[in-house]
């Protein structure tokens, strides 16, 4: 819509056609999303600045209407620009002193954000499920002491408001990437969102999941490739860099890669992370622990501090070769 237009005339015309529509505020623009195409293709209004018929199912995530790349700001850290952002930390928050020690170490090595799970979605109900609200309080302490913005997972619609009050970025994990009520609630929270790709998701389904968040007028979405389930058994998942490269051609949203989960073992994390940067990732989210062998979850794939320091050195070289920085 044109500036200062409320879109009421257009909405009346859409109602006359019995078309579905939603009004969203994205990127300082008022946008009326209307469907199906056959009902709205001839609807015109003087207050419309630009009318776009998007050829892809993911309308708001498409770069057909928004040509410039979206930059997501997380407490002053910009994701999607020239600088590649690395978020690092343990799989799960286990102890305040350990979390602060890890945060100080990864910050010194060059990480710009701290990752850690307060709520853990585990395959078995008998394994460590996270510290819950106590974990969130530890994350807040980490931010107060170390200064790294926090990204952590939210699993339940009932917890969105609480987690959003502690975190700077809300993560939707692979198991919840098609939990549509949760996606809507996270969109309404108006916090930046890291949306992981589900382990059995196509790239189209991944983008359509983002659409649920965007439709709630939240344009701060970072798509995160974390590996998909294939016939391969020697890695935990298969990191789909071809899918990442494809999605970069059809969306304006920034893209992240989690190399830890597809690796499943710490010695494979480095090559996957380097490959992700070469493929065009705007962000990495890496699991790091001071004593991985003692970690309560995903101990096999978490890097030691020295391994993370070495990885950061190599990432900087790859980034510089591509005209970017870390």
């Amino acid at each position: 819509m044109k500036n200062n237009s409320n879109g009421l005339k257009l909405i009346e015309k859409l109602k006359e056609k019995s078309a579905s529509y939603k009004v969203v505020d994205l990127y300082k623009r008022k946008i009326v999303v209307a469907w199906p195409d056959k009902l709205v293709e001839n609807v015109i209004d003087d207050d419309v600045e630009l009318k776009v018929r998007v050829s892809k199912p993911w309308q708001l995530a498409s770069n057909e209407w928004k040509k410039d790349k979206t930059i997501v700001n997380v407490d002053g850290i910009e994701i999607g620009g020239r600088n590649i952002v690395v978020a690092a930390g343990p799989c799960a928050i286990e102890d305040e002193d350990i979390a602060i020690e890890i945060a100080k170490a990864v910050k010194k090595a060059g990480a710009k954000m701290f990752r850690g799970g307060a709520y853990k979605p585990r395959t078995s109900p008998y394994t460590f499920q996270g510290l819950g609200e106590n974990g969130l309080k530890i994350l807040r302490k980490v931010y107060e002491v170390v200064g790294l913005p926090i990204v952590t997972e939210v699993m339940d619609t009932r917890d969105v408001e609480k987690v959003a009050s502690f975190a700077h970025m809300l993560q939707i994990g692979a198991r919840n990437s098609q939990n549509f009520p949760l996606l809507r609630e996270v969109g309404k929270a108006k916090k930046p969102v890291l949306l992981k790709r589900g382990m059995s998701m196509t790239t189209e389904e991944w983008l359509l999941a983002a659409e649920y968040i965007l439709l709630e007028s939240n344009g701060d979405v970072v798509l995160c490739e974390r590996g998909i389930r294939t016939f391969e058994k020697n890695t935990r998942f298969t990191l789909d860099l071809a899918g990442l490269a494809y999605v970069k051609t059809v969306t304006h949203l920034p893209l992240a890669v989690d190399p830890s989960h597809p690796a499943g073992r710490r010695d494979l994390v480095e090559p996957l992370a380097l490959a992700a940067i070469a493929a065009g990732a705007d962000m990495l989210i890496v699991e790091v622990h001071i004593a991985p062998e003692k970690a309560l979850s995903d101990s096999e794939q978490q890097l030691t501090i020295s391994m993370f320091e070495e990885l950061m050195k190599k990432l900087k070289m790859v980034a510089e070769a591509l005209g970017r920085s870390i």
Side-chain angles (χ1 to χ4, degrees), residues 144-156:
E144 292 171 350
V145 174
V146 185
L148 292 178
I150 302 300
V151 53
T152 192
E153 182 167 353
V154 59
M155 296 170 48
D156 195 312

Side-chain angles (χ1 to χ4, degrees), residues 253-286:
L253 298 173
L255 282 113
V257 168
D258 169 358
S260 302
H261 280 86
R265 36 187 274 193
R266 65 182 59 88
D267 62 325
L268 297 182
V269 173
E270 180 182 291
L272 294 184
L274 295 172
I277 296 299
D282 301 299
M283 177 183 183
L284 290 179
I285 181 164
V286 184

Side-chain angles (χ1 to χ4, degrees), residues 91 115 120 196 226 236-237 258-270 286-289 292-293 295 297-304 307:
C91 172
R115 60 137 298 143
K120 296 302 302 177
K196 286 198 171 185
R226 47 79 71 204
R236 188 174 180 185
F237 298 101
D258 169 358
S260 302
H261 280 86
R265 36 187 274 193
R266 65 182 59 88
D267 62 325
L268 297 182
V269 173
E270 180 182 291
V286 184
E287 293 188 351
V288 182
H289 200 286
E293 68 282 357
S297 62
D298 287 353
S299 60
E300 297 87 355
Q301 66 195 38
Q302 298 191 64
L303 299 183
T304 63
M307 291 177 74

Side-chain angles (χ1 to χ4, degrees), residues 93-119:
I93 297 300
E94 304 162 348
D95 173 86
E96 182 178 303
D97 292 337
I98 291 175
I100 290 174
E101 185 177 351
I102 296 171
K104 288 179 176 178
V106 298
K107 182 179 182 180
K108 184 178 179 180
K112 293 294 187 287
M113 295 180 63
F114 186 74
R115 60 137 298 143
Y119 298 90

